[in-house]
Amino acid sequence: SSLRNGFGLKFLHRFFNVPFLTLQRSSLLQQLELNNREIAATQEELDLYMSTDEADYTRFSEGLTQRRRAAAEEVAPSATRSIVVGGQNSSSAPATAGVTESMS
């Protein structure tokens, strides 16, 4: 290459680029191989997962329903004698006595 007019400079740049591109290709091929191994390992993990009880949606749904029922029962008011027997206490008695009197 000529320092005076830069003749051959483009050729020199391309010449030095060949080892870089070769190294880059080697690195990319290694990454592809690693990617293929990770894909295979992930597929195997998914196959193993699908054979476990954790992958069964019916069991998951039943367990979720049981947990929700248990939580609702903890929050629900306890049964009183008037509810169990069917009688009415003064706080839940309807105000129909005043309604019938006012209609007559």
Coordinates of all heavy atoms in Angstrom, one line a residue:
S1 N 0.8 -1.2 0.0 CA 0.0 0.0 0.0 C 0.9 1.2 0.0 O 1.9 1.3 0.6 CB -0.9 -0.1 1.2 OG -1.0 1.0 2.0
S2 N 0.5 2.2 -0.7 CA 1.2 3.4 -0.8 C 0.8 4.4 0.2 O -0.4 4.7 0.4 CB 1.0 4.0 -2.2 OG 1.6 5.3 -2.3
L3 N 1.7 5.0 1.0 CA 1.4 6.0 2.0 C 1.1 7.3 1.3 O 0.4 8.2 1.9 CB 2.5 6.2 3.0 CG 2.8 5.0 3.9 CD1 4.0 5.2 4.8 CD2 1.5 4.7 4.8
R4 N 1.6 7.5 0.1 CA 1.4 8.8 -0.6 C 0.0 9.0 -1.0 O -0.6 10.0 -0.8 CB 2.4 8.9 -1.8 CG 2.3 10.2 -2.5 CD 3.2 10.3 -3.7 NE 4.6 10.2 -3.2 CZ 5.7 10.2 -4.0 NH1 5.5 10.1 -5.3 NH2 6.8 10.1 -3.5
N5 N -0.6 8.0 -1.6 CA -2.0 8.2 -2.2 C -3.0 7.1 -1.7 O -4.1 7.1 -2.1 CB -1.9 8.2 -3.7 CG -1.3 6.9 -4.3 OD1 -1.2 5.9 -3.6 ND2 -0.9 6.9 -5.5
G6 N -2.6 6.3 -0.8 CA -3.5 5.3 -0.2 C -3.9 4.1 -1.1 O -4.9 3.4 -0.8
F7 N -3.1 4.0 -2.2 CA -3.4 2.9 -3.1 C -3.2 1.5 -2.3 O -2.2 1.3 -1.6 CB -2.5 2.9 -4.3 CG -2.7 1.8 -5.2 CD1 -3.8 1.8 -6.1 CD2 -1.9 0.6 -5.2 CE1 -4.0 0.7 -7.0 CE2 -2.1 -0.4 -6.1 CZ -3.2 -0.4 -7.0
G8 N -4.2 0.6 -2.4 CA -4.1 -0.7 -1.8 C -4.6 -0.7 -0.4 O -4.6 -1.8 0.2
L9 N -5.1 0.4 0.1 CA -5.5 0.5 1.5 C -6.8 -0.4 1.7 O -6.9 -1.1 2.7 CB -5.8 1.9 1.9 CG -5.9 2.2 3.4 CD1 -4.8 1.7 4.2 CD2 -6.1 3.7 3.7
K10 N -7.7 -0.3 0.7 CA -8.9 -1.1 0.8 C -8.6 -2.6 0.8 O -9.2 -3.4 1.6 CB -9.9 -0.7 -0.3 CG -11.2 -1.4 -0.2 CD -12.1 -1.0 -1.4 CE -12.7 0.4 -1.2 NZ -13.7 0.7 -2.2
F11 N -7.7 -3.0 0.0 CA -7.3 -4.4 -0.1 C -6.7 -4.8 1.3 O -7.0 -5.9 1.8 CB -6.2 -4.6 -1.2 CG -5.7 -6.0 -1.2 CD1 -6.5 -7.0 -1.8 CD2 -4.5 -6.3 -0.7 CE1 -6.0 -8.3 -1.8 CE2 -4.0 -7.6 -0.7 CZ -4.8 -8.6 -1.3
L12 N -5.9 -4.0 1.9 CA -5.3 -4.3 3.2 C -6.3 -4.5 4.3 O -6.2 -5.4 5.1 CB -4.3 -3.2 3.5 CG -3.4 -3.4 4.7 CD1 -2.5 -4.7 4.5 CD2 -2.5 -2.2 5.0
H13 N -7.3 -3.6 4.3 CA -8.4 -3.7 5.3 C -9.2 -5.0 5.1 O -9.5 -5.7 6.1 CB -9.4 -2.5 5.1 CG -8.9 -1.3 5.8 ND1 -9.5 -0.8 6.9 CD2 -7.8 -0.5 5.5 CE1 -8.9 0.4 7.2 NE2 -7.9 0.5 6.4
R14 N -9.4 -5.4 3.9 CA -10.2 -6.6 3.6 C -9.3 -7.8 3.9 O -9.8 -8.8 4.4 CB -10.6 -6.7 2.1 CG -11.7 -5.7 1.9 CD -12.4 -5.8 0.6 NE -13.5 -4.8 0.4 CZ -13.9 -4.4 -0.7 NH1 -13.4 -4.9 -1.8 NH2 -14.9 -3.5 -0.8
F15 N -8.0 -7.7 3.7 CA -7.1 -8.8 4.0 C -7.1 -9.1 5.5 O -7.1 -10.2 6.0 CB -5.7 -8.5 3.5 CG -4.7 -9.6 3.8 CD1 -4.7 -10.7 3.1 CD2 -3.8 -9.4 4.9 CE1 -3.7 -11.7 3.4 CE2 -2.9 -10.3 5.2 CZ -2.8 -11.5 4.5
F16 N -7.0 -8.0 6.3 CA -7.0 -8.2 7.8 C -8.4 -8.6 8.3 O -8.5 -9.1 9.4 CB -6.5 -6.9 8.4 CG -5.1 -6.7 8.3 CD1 -4.6 -5.5 7.9 CD2 -4.2 -7.7 8.6 CE1 -3.2 -5.3 7.9 CE2 -2.8 -7.5 8.5 CZ -2.3 -6.3 8.1
N17 N -9.4 -8.4 7.5 CA -10.8 -8.7 8.0 C -11.0 -10.2 7.9 O -11.9 -10.8 8.6 CB -11.8 -8.0 7.1 CG -13.2 -7.9 7.7 OD1 -13.3 -8.0 8.9 ND2 -14.2 -7.8 6.9
V18 N -10.3 -11.0 7.0 CA -10.5 -12.4 6.9 C -10.3 -13.2 8.2 O -11.1 -14.0 8.6 CB -9.5 -13.0 5.8 CG1 -9.6 -14.5 5.7 CG2 -9.9 -12.4 4.4
P19 N -9.2 -13.0 9.0 CA -9.1 -13.7 10.2 C -10.2 -13.3 11.2 O -10.7 -14.2 11.9 CB -7.7 -13.2 10.8 CG -7.0 -12.7 9.7 CD -8.0 -12.2 8.7
F20 N -10.6 -12.1 11.2 CA -11.7 -11.7 12.1 C -13.0 -12.4 11.7 O -13.7 -13.0 12.6 CB -12.0 -10.2 12.1 CG -13.2 -9.8 12.7 CD1 -13.4 -9.7 14.1 CD2 -14.3 -9.4 11.9 CE1 -14.6 -9.4 14.7 CE2 -15.5 -9.1 12.5 CZ -15.7 -9.0 13.9
L21 N -13.3 -12.5 10.5 CA -14.5 -13.1 10.0 C -14.5 -14.6 10.3 O -15.5 -15.3 10.6 CB -14.8 -12.9 8.5 CG -15.2 -11.4 8.2 CD1 -15.2 -11.2 6.7 CD2 -16.5 -11.0 8.8
T22 N -13.3 -15.2 10.1 CA -13.1 -16.7 10.4 C -13.4 -16.9 11.9 O -14.0 -17.9 12.3 CB -11.7 -17.1 10.0 OG1 -11.5 -16.8 8.7 CG2 -11.5 -18.6 10.2
L23 N -12.8 -16.1 12.8 CA -13.0 -16.2 14.2 C -14.5 -16.0 14.6 O -15.0 -16.7 15.4 CB -12.1 -15.2 15.0 CG -12.2 -15.3 16.5 CD1 -11.7 -16.6 17.0 CD2 -11.4 -14.1 17.1
Q24 N -15.1 -15.0 13.9 CA -16.5 -14.8 14.2 C -17.4 -16.0 13.8 O -18.3 -16.4 14.5 CB -17.0 -13.5 13.4 CG -18.4 -13.1 13.7 CD -18.8 -11.9 12.9 OE1 -18.5 -11.8 11.7 NE2 -19.5 -11.0 13.6
R25 N -17.1 -16.6 12.6 CA -17.8 -17.7 12.2 C -17.6 -18.9 13.2 O -18.6 -19.6 13.5 CB -17.3 -18.2 10.8 CG -18.0 -19.4 10.2 CD -17.6 -19.6 8.8 NE -18.4 -20.7 8.2 CZ -17.9 -21.9 8.0 NH1 -16.6 -22.2 8.2 NH2 -18.7 -22.8 7.5
S26 N -16.4 -19.1 13.6 CA -16.2 -20.2 14.6 C -17.0 -19.9 15.9 O -17.6 -20.8 16.4 CB -14.7 -20.2 14.9 OG -14.5 -21.0 16.0
S27 N -17.0 -18.7 16.4 CA -17.8 -18.3 17.6 C -19.3 -18.6 17.4 O -19.9 -19.1 18.2 CB -17.5 -16.9 17.9 OG -18.3 -16.5 19.0
L28 N -19.8 -18.2 16.2 CA -21.2 -18.3 15.9 C -21.6 -19.8 15.9 O -22.7 -20.2 16.3 CB -21.6 -17.6 14.7 CG -21.6 -16.1 14.7 CD1 -21.8 -15.5 13.4 CD2 -22.6 -15.6 15.7
L29 N -20.7 -20.6 15.3 CA -21.0 -22.1 15.2 C -21.0 -22.7 16.6 O -21.9 -23.6 16.9 CB -20.0 -22.8 14.3 CG -20.1 -22.5 12.8 CD1 -18.9 -23.1 12.0 CD2 -21.4 -23.0 12.3
Q30 N -20.1 -22.2 17.5 CA -20.1 -22.7 18.9 C -21.4 -22.3 19.6 O -22.0 -23.1 20.3 CB -18.9 -22.2 19.6 CG -17.6 -22.8 19.2 CD -16.4 -22.2 20.0 OE1 -16.6 -21.2 20.6 NE2 -15.3 -22.8 19.8
Q31 N -21.9 -21.1 19.3 CA -23.1 -20.6 19.9 C -24.3 -21.4 19.4 O -25.2 -21.7 20.2 CB -23.3 -19.1 19.6 CG -22.4 -18.2 20.4 CD -22.5 -16.7 20.1 OE1 -23.4 -16.4 19.3 NE2 -21.6 -15.9 20.6
L32 N -24.3 -21.7 18.1 CA -25.4 -22.5 17.6 C -25.4 -23.9 18.2 O -26.5 -24.5 18.5 CB -25.3 -22.7 16.1 CG -25.8 -21.5 15.3 CD1 -25.4 -21.6 13.8 CD2 -27.2 -21.3 15.4
E33 N -24.2 -24.5 18.4 CA -24.2 -25.8 19.0 C -24.7 -25.8 20.4 O -25.4 -26.7 20.9 CB -22.7 -26.4 19.0 CG -22.5 -27.7 19.6 CD -23.4 -28.8 18.9 OE1 -23.5 -28.7 17.7 OE2 -23.8 -29.7 19.6
L34 N -24.3 -24.8 21.2 CA -24.8 -24.6 22.5 C -26.3 -24.4 22.5 O -27.0 -25.0 23.4 CB -24.1 -23.4 23.2 CG -24.6 -23.0 24.6 CD1 -24.3 -24.2 25.6 CD2 -23.9 -21.7 25.1
N35 N -26.8 -23.6 21.6 CA -28.2 -23.4 21.5 C -29.0 -24.7 21.2 O -30.0 -25.0 21.8 CB -28.5 -22.4 20.4 CG -29.9 -22.1 20.2 OD1 -30.6 -22.7 19.4 ND2 -30.5 -21.1 20.9
N36 N -28.4 -25.5 20.3 CA -29.1 -26.8 20.0 C -29.1 -27.7 21.3 O -30.1 -28.4 21.5 CB -28.3 -27.6 18.9 CG -28.6 -27.0 17.6 OD1 -29.7 -26.4 17.3 ND2 -27.7 -27.1 16.6
R37 N -28.0 -27.7 22.1 CA -28.0 -28.5 23.3 C -29.1 -28.0 24.3 O -29.7 -28.8 25.0 CB -26.6 -28.5 23.9 CG -25.6 -29.4 23.2 CD -24.4 -29.6 24.0 NE -23.8 -28.2 24.2 CZ -22.5 -27.9 23.9 NH1 -21.8 -28.8 23.3 NH2 -22.1 -26.7 24.1
E38 N -29.2 -26.7 24.4 CA -30.2 -26.1 25.3 C -31.6 -26.4 24.9 O -32.5 -26.6 25.7 CB -29.9 -24.6 25.5 CG -28.7 -24.2 26.2 CD -28.4 -22.7 26.3 OE1 -29.2 -21.9 25.7 OE2 -27.5 -22.3 27.0
I39 N -31.8 -26.3 23.6 CA -33.2 -26.7 23.1 C -33.5 -28.1 23.4 O -34.6 -28.4 23.9 CB -33.2 -26.5 21.6 CG1 -33.3 -25.0 21.2 CG2 -34.5 -27.2 21.0 CD1 -33.2 -24.7 19.8
A40 N -32.6 -29.1 23.2 CA -32.8 -30.5 23.5 C -33.0 -30.7 25.0 O -33.9 -31.4 25.4 CB -31.6 -31.3 23.1
A41 N -32.2 -30.0 25.9 CA -32.4 -30.1 27.3 C -33.8 -29.6 27.8 O -34.4 -30.2 28.6 CB -31.3 -29.4 28.0
T42 N -34.2 -28.5 27.2 CA -35.5 -27.9 27.6 C -36.6 -28.7 27.1 O -37.6 -28.9 27.9 CB -35.6 -26.5 26.9 OG1 -34.5 -25.6 27.4 CG2 -36.9 -25.8 27.3
Q43 N -36.5 -29.3 25.9 CA -37.6 -30.3 25.5 C -37.7 -31.5 26.4 O -38.8 -32.0 26.7 CB -37.3 -30.7 24.0 CG -37.6 -29.6 23.1 CD -37.2 -29.9 21.6 OE1 -36.4 -30.8 21.4 NE2 -37.8 -29.2 20.7
E44 N -36.5 -32.0 26.9 CA -36.5 -33.1 27.8 C -37.1 -32.7 29.1 O -37.9 -33.5 29.7 CB -35.1 -33.6 28.0 CG -35.0 -34.9 28.8 CD -33.6 -35.4 28.9 OE1 -32.8 -35.2 27.9 OE2 -33.2 -36.0 29.9
E45 N -36.8 -31.5 29.6 CA -37.4 -31.0 30.9 C -38.9 -30.9 30.7 O -39.7 -31.3 31.6 CB -36.8 -29.7 31.3 CG -35.4 -29.8 31.8 CD -34.9 -28.4 32.1 OE1 -35.6 -27.4 32.2 OE2 -33.6 -28.3 32.2
L46 N -39.4 -30.4 29.6 CA -40.8 -30.3 29.4 C -41.5 -31.6 29.3 O -42.6 -31.8 29.8 CB -41.1 -29.5 28.1 CG -40.8 -28.0 28.1 CD1 -40.9 -27.4 26.7 CD2 -41.7 -27.3 29.1
D47 N -40.9 -32.6 28.7 CA -41.4 -34.0 28.6 C -41.5 -34.6 30.0 O -42.5 -35.2 30.4 CB -40.6 -34.9 27.7 CG -40.7 -34.5 26.3 OD1 -41.7 -33.8 25.9 OD2 -39.8 -34.9 25.5
L48 N -40.5 -34.4 30.8 CA -40.5 -34.8 32.2 C -41.6 -34.1 33.0 O -42.3 -34.8 33.8 CB -39.2 -34.7 32.9 CG -38.0 -35.6 32.4 CD1 -36.7 -35.1 33.1 CD2 -38.4 -37.0 32.8
Y49 N -41.8 -32.8 32.8 CA -42.8 -32.1 33.6 C -44.2 -32.6 33.2 O -45.0 -32.7 34.1 CB -42.7 -30.6 33.2 CG -43.8 -29.7 33.8 CD1 -43.7 -29.4 35.2 CD2 -44.8 -29.3 33.1 CE1 -44.8 -28.7 35.8 CE2 -45.8 -28.6 33.6 CZ -45.8 -28.2 35.0 OH -46.8 -27.5 35.5
M50 N -44.4 -32.9 31.9 CA -45.7 -33.3 31.5 C -46.1 -34.6 32.1 O -47.3 -35.0 32.2 CB -45.8 -33.4 30.0 CG -45.8 -32.0 29.3 SD -47.0 -30.8 29.9 CE -48.5 -31.6 29.3
S51 N -45.1 -35.4 32.6 CA -45.5 -36.7 33.2 C -45.6 -36.6 34.7 O -45.9 -37.6 35.3 CB -44.3 -37.7 32.8 OG -43.1 -37.3 33.4
T52 N -45.6 -35.4 35.2 CA -45.7 -35.3 36.7 C -47.2 -34.8 37.0 O -47.9 -34.5 36.1 CB -44.8 -34.2 37.3 OG1 -45.1 -32.9 36.7 CG2 -43.3 -34.5 37.0
D53 N -47.5 -34.9 38.3 CA -48.8 -34.4 38.8 C -49.0 -32.9 38.6 O -50.1 -32.5 38.6 CB -49.1 -34.9 40.2 CG -49.2 -36.4 40.3 OD1 -49.6 -37.0 39.3 OD2 -49.1 -36.9 41.5
E54 N -47.9 -32.2 38.6 CA -48.0 -30.7 38.5 C -48.6 -30.3 37.2 O -49.2 -29.2 37.1 CB -46.6 -30.1 38.7 CG -46.1 -30.2 40.1 CD -44.7 -29.4 40.2 OE1 -44.5 -28.5 39.4 OE2 -44.0 -29.8 41.0
A55 N -48.5 -31.1 36.2 CA -49.0 -30.8 34.8 C -50.5 -31.1 34.6 O -51.0 -30.8 33.6 CB -48.1 -31.4 33.8
D56 N -51.1 -31.8 35.6 CA -52.5 -32.2 35.5 C -53.4 -31.0 35.9 O -53.5 -30.6 37.1 CB -52.7 -33.4 36.4 CG -54.1 -34.0 36.3 OD1 -54.8 -33.5 35.4 OD2 -54.4 -34.9 37.0
Y57 N -54.1 -30.5 34.9 CA -54.9 -29.3 35.2 C -56.1 -29.6 36.1 O -56.5 -28.8 36.9 CB -55.4 -28.7 33.9 CG -56.3 -27.5 34.1 CD1 -55.8 -26.3 34.5 CD2 -57.7 -27.6 34.0 CE1 -56.5 -25.2 34.7 CE2 -58.5 -26.5 34.3 CZ -57.9 -25.3 34.6 OH -58.7 -24.2 34.9
T58 N -56.6 -30.8 36.0 CA -57.8 -31.2 36.8 C -57.4 -31.2 38.3 O -58.1 -30.6 39.1 CB -58.3 -32.6 36.4 OG1 -58.6 -32.6 35.0 CG2 -59.5 -33.0 37.2
R59 N -56.2 -31.7 38.6 CA -55.7 -31.7 40.0 C -55.5 -30.3 40.5 O -55.8 -29.9 41.6 CB -54.5 -32.6 40.2 CG -54.8 -34.0 40.1 CD -53.5 -34.8 40.5 NE -53.8 -36.2 40.4 CZ -53.0 -37.1 40.9 NH1 -52.0 -36.8 41.6 NH2 -53.3 -38.4 40.8
F60 N -54.9 -29.5 39.6 CA -54.6 -28.1 40.0 C -55.9 -27.4 40.3 O -56.0 -26.7 41.3 CB -53.9 -27.4 38.8 CG -53.8 -25.9 39.0 CD1 -52.8 -25.4 39.8 CD2 -54.6 -25.1 38.3 CE1 -52.7 -24.0 40.0 CE2 -54.6 -23.7 38.4 CZ -53.6 -23.2 39.3
S61 N -56.9 -27.6 39.4 CA -58.2 -26.9 39.6 C -58.9 -27.3 40.8 O -59.4 -26.5 41.6 CB -59.1 -27.2 38.4 OG -60.3 -26.5 38.5
E62 N -58.9 -28.6 41.1 CA -59.5 -29.1 42.3 C -58.8 -28.6 43.6 O -59.5 -28.2 44.6 CB -59.5 -30.7 42.4 CG -60.4 -31.3 41.3 CD -60.2 -32.8 41.2 OE1 -59.3 -33.4 41.9 OE2 -61.0 -33.4 40.5
G63 N -57.5 -28.5 43.6 CA -56.7 -28.0 44.7 C -57.0 -26.5 44.9 O -57.2 -26.1 46.1
L64 N -57.1 -25.8 43.8 CA -57.5 -24.4 43.9 C -58.9 -24.2 44.5 O -59.1 -23.3 45.4 CB -57.4 -23.7 42.5 CG -57.5 -22.2 42.5 CD1 -56.4 -21.5 43.3 CD2 -57.5 -21.8 41.0
T65 N -59.8 -25.0 44.1 CA -61.2 -24.9 44.6 C -61.2 -25.2 46.1 O -61.9 -24.5 46.8 CB -62.1 -25.8 43.8 OG1 -62.1 -25.5 42.4 CG2 -63.5 -25.8 44.3
Q66 N -60.5 -26.2 46.5 CA -60.4 -26.6 47.9 C -59.9 -25.5 48.7 O -60.4 -25.1 49.8 CB -59.6 -27.9 48.1 CG -60.4 -29.1 47.6 CD -59.5 -30.3 47.7 OE1 -58.3 -30.3 48.0 NE2 -60.1 -31.5 47.3
R67 N -58.8 -24.8 48.2 CA -58.2 -23.7 49.0 C -59.1 -22.5 49.1 O -59.2 -21.9 50.1 CB -56.9 -23.3 48.3 CG -55.7 -24.3 48.6 CD -54.4 -23.8 48.2 NE -54.3 -23.4 46.8 CZ -54.0 -24.3 45.8 NH1 -53.7 -25.5 46.1 NH2 -53.9 -23.9 44.5
R68 N -59.8 -22.3 48.0 CA -60.8 -21.1 48.0 C -61.9 -21.4 49.0 O -62.4 -20.5 49.7 CB -61.3 -20.9 46.6 CG -60.4 -20.2 45.7 CD -61.0 -20.0 44.4 NE -60.0 -19.3 43.5 CZ -60.1 -19.2 42.2 NH1 -61.2 -19.7 41.6 NH2 -59.2 -18.6 41.5
R69 N -62.4 -22.7 49.0 CA -63.5 -23.0 49.9 C -63.1 -22.9 51.4 O -63.8 -22.4 52.2 CB -64.0 -24.4 49.6 CG -64.9 -24.5 48.4 CD -65.5 -25.9 48.2 NE -66.2 -26.0 47.0 CZ -66.4 -27.1 46.3 NH1 -65.9 -28.2 46.8 NH2 -67.1 -27.1 45.2
A70 N -61.9 -23.4 51.6 CA -61.3 -23.3 53.0 C -61.2 -21.9 53.4 O -61.5 -21.5 54.6 CB -60.0 -24.0 53.1
A71 N -60.7 -21.0 52.5 CA -60.6 -19.6 52.9 C -61.9 -18.9 53.1 O -62.1 -18.1 54.0 CB -59.8 -18.9 51.8
A72 N -62.9 -19.3 52.3 CA -64.3 -18.7 52.4 C -64.9 -19.2 53.7 O -65.6 -18.4 54.4 CB -65.1 -19.1 51.3
E73 N -64.7 -20.5 54.1 CA -65.2 -21.0 55.4 C -64.6 -20.3 56.6 O -65.3 -20.1 57.6 CB -65.0 -22.5 55.5 CG -65.9 -23.2 54.5 CD -65.6 -24.7 54.5 OE1 -64.7 -25.2 55.2 OE2 -66.3 -25.4 53.7
E74 N -63.3 -19.9 56.5 CA -62.7 -19.2 57.6 C -63.3 -17.8 57.8 O -63.4 -17.3 58.9 CB -61.2 -19.0 57.3 CG -60.4 -20.3 57.5 CD -58.9 -20.1 57.2 OE1 -58.5 -19.0 57.0 OE2 -58.2 -21.1 57.1
V75 N -63.7 -17.2 56.7 CA -64.2 -15.8 56.8 C -65.7 -15.8 57.0 O -66.3 -14.8 57.6 CB -63.9 -15.1 55.5 CG1 -64.4 -13.6 55.5 CG2 -62.4 -15.1 55.2
A76 N -66.4 -16.9 56.7 CA -67.9 -16.9 56.8 C -68.3 -16.8 58.3 O -67.6 -17.3 59.1 CB -68.4 -18.2 56.2
P77 N -69.5 -16.2 58.5 CA -69.9 -16.1 59.9 C -70.4 -17.5 60.4 O -70.8 -18.4 59.6 CB -71.2 -15.2 59.8 CG -71.6 -15.3 58.4 CD -70.3 -15.5 57.6
S78 N -70.2 -17.7 61.7 CA -70.6 -19.1 62.2 C -72.1 -19.2 62.3 O -72.8 -18.2 62.4 CB -69.9 -19.3 63.6 OG -70.4 -18.2 64.5
A79 N -72.6 -20.4 62.2 CA -74.0 -20.6 62.3 C -74.5 -20.4 63.7 O -73.9 -20.8 64.7 CB -74.3 -22.1 61.8
T80 N -75.7 -19.7 63.8 CA -76.3 -19.5 65.1 C -77.5 -20.4 65.2 O -78.0 -21.0 64.2 CB -76.8 -18.0 65.2 OG1 -77.7 -17.8 64.1 CG2 -75.6 -17.0 65.0
R81 N -78.1 -20.5 66.4 CA -79.2 -21.3 66.7 C -80.4 -21.0 65.8 O -81.1 -21.8 65.3 CB -79.6 -21.3 68.1 CG -80.7 -22.1 68.5 CD -80.9 -22.2 70.0 NE -82.1 -22.7 70.4 CZ -82.5 -24.0 70.5 NH1 -81.6 -24.9 70.1 NH2 -83.6 -24.4 70.9
S82 N -80.7 -19.7 65.6 CA -81.9 -19.3 64.9 C -81.7 -19.6 63.4 O -82.7 -19.9 62.8 CB -82.1 -17.8 65.0 OG -81.0 -17.1 64.5
I83 N -80.5 -19.6 62.9 CA -80.3 -20.0 61.5 C -80.5 -21.5 61.3 O -81.1 -22.0 60.4 CB -79.0 -19.6 60.9 CG1 -78.9 -18.1 60.9 CG2 -78.7 -20.2 59.6 CD1 -77.5 -17.5 60.6
V84 N -80.0 -22.3 62.3 CA -80.0 -23.7 62.2 C -81.4 -24.2 62.4 O -81.9 -25.1 61.6 CB -79.0 -24.3 63.2 CG1 -79.2 -25.9 63.3 CG2 -77.6 -24.0 63.0
V85 N -82.2 -23.7 63.4 CA -83.5 -24.2 63.6 C -84.5 -23.6 62.6 O -85.5 -24.2 62.3 CB -83.9 -23.8 65.1 CG1 -85.3 -24.1 65.4 CG2 -83.0 -24.5 66.1
G86 N -84.2 -22.4 62.1 CA -85.1 -21.8 61.1 C -85.9 -20.7 61.7 O -86.7 -20.1 61.1
G87 N -85.7 -20.4 63.0 CA -86.4 -19.3 63.7 C -85.8 -18.0 63.3 O -84.7 -17.9 62.7
Q88 N -86.4 -16.9 63.6 CA -85.9 -15.6 63.3 C -85.6 -14.9 64.6 O -86.3 -15.0 65.6 CB -86.9 -14.8 62.6 CG -87.3 -15.4 61.2 CD -88.3 -14.6 60.5 OE1 -89.0 -13.7 61.1 NE2 -88.5 -14.9 59.2
N89 N -84.4 -14.3 64.6 CA -84.1 -13.5 65.8 C -84.5 -12.0 65.5 O -84.9 -11.7 64.4 CB -82.6 -13.6 66.2 CG -81.7 -13.1 65.1 OD1 -82.1 -12.5 64.2 ND2 -80.4 -13.5 65.2
S90 N -84.4 -11.2 66.5 CA -84.9 -9.8 66.3 C -84.1 -9.0 65.3 O -84.7 -8.1 64.7 CB -84.9 -9.1 67.7 OG -83.6 -9.0 68.1
S91 N -82.9 -9.3 65.1 CA -82.1 -8.5 64.1 C -82.4 -8.9 62.7 O -82.2 -8.1 61.8 CB -80.6 -8.7 64.4 OG -80.3 -10.0 64.1
S92 N -82.9 -10.1 62.4 CA -83.2 -10.5 61.1 C -84.7 -10.6 60.8 O -85.1 -11.0 59.7 CB -82.5 -11.8 60.7 OG -83.1 -12.8 61.5
A93 N -85.5 -10.2 61.7 CA -87.0 -10.3 61.5 C -87.4 -9.2 60.5 O -87.0 -8.1 60.6 CB -87.7 -10.1 62.8
P94 N -88.2 -9.6 59.5 CA -88.6 -8.6 58.5 C -89.6 -7.6 59.2 O -90.3 -7.9 60.1 CB -89.3 -9.4 57.4 CG -89.6 -10.7 58.0 CD -88.7 -10.9 59.2
A95 N -89.7 -6.4 58.6 CA -90.6 -5.4 59.2 C -91.9 -5.4 58.4 O -92.4 -4.5 57.9 CB -89.9 -4.0 59.0
T96 N -92.5 -6.6 58.4 CA -93.8 -6.8 57.7 C -95.0 -6.4 58.6 O -96.1 -6.1 58.1 CB -94.0 -8.2 57.2 OG1 -93.9 -9.1 58.3 CG2 -93.0 -8.5 56.2
A97 N -94.8 -6.4 59.9 CA -95.9 -6.1 60.8 C -96.4 -4.7 60.6 O -97.6 -4.4 60.5 CB -95.5 -6.3 62.3
G98 N -95.5 -3.7 60.4 CA -95.9 -2.3 60.2 C -96.5 -2.2 58.8 O -97.4 -1.3 58.6
V99 N -96.1 -3.0 57.9 CA -96.6 -2.9 56.5 C -98.1 -3.3 56.4 O -98.9 -2.7 55.8 CB -95.8 -3.7 55.5 CG1 -96.4 -3.7 54.1 CG2 -94.4 -3.1 55.5
T100 N -98.4 -4.4 57.1 CA -99.8 -4.9 57.1 C -100.8 -4.0 57.8 O -101.9 -3.8 57.4 CB -99.9 -6.3 57.7 OG1 -99.4 -6.3 59.0 CG2 -99.1 -7.3 56.8
E101 N -100.3 -3.3 58.8 CA -101.1 -2.4 59.6 C -101.4 -1.1 58.8 O -102.5 -0.6 58.8 CB -100.5 -2.0 60.9 CG -100.5 -3.2 61.9 CD -99.7 -2.8 63.2 OE1 -99.3 -1.6 63.3 OE2 -99.5 -3.7 64.0
S102 N -100.4 -0.6 58.0 CA -100.6 0.6 57.3 C -101.5 0.3 56.0 O -102.1 1.3 55.5 CB -99.3 1.1 56.9 OG -98.6 0.3 56.0
M103 N -101.6 -0.9 55.6 CA -102.4 -1.2 54.4 C -103.9 -1.2 54.7 O -104.7 -1.0 53.9 CB -102.0 -2.5 53.7 CG -100.6 -2.4 53.2 SD -100.1 -4.0 52.5 CE -100.9 -3.9 50.9
S104 N -104.2 -1.5 56.0 CA -105.6 -1.6 56.3 C -106.3 -0.3 56.7 O -105.9 0.8 56.6 CB -105.8 -2.6 57.5 OG -105.0 -2.4 58.5

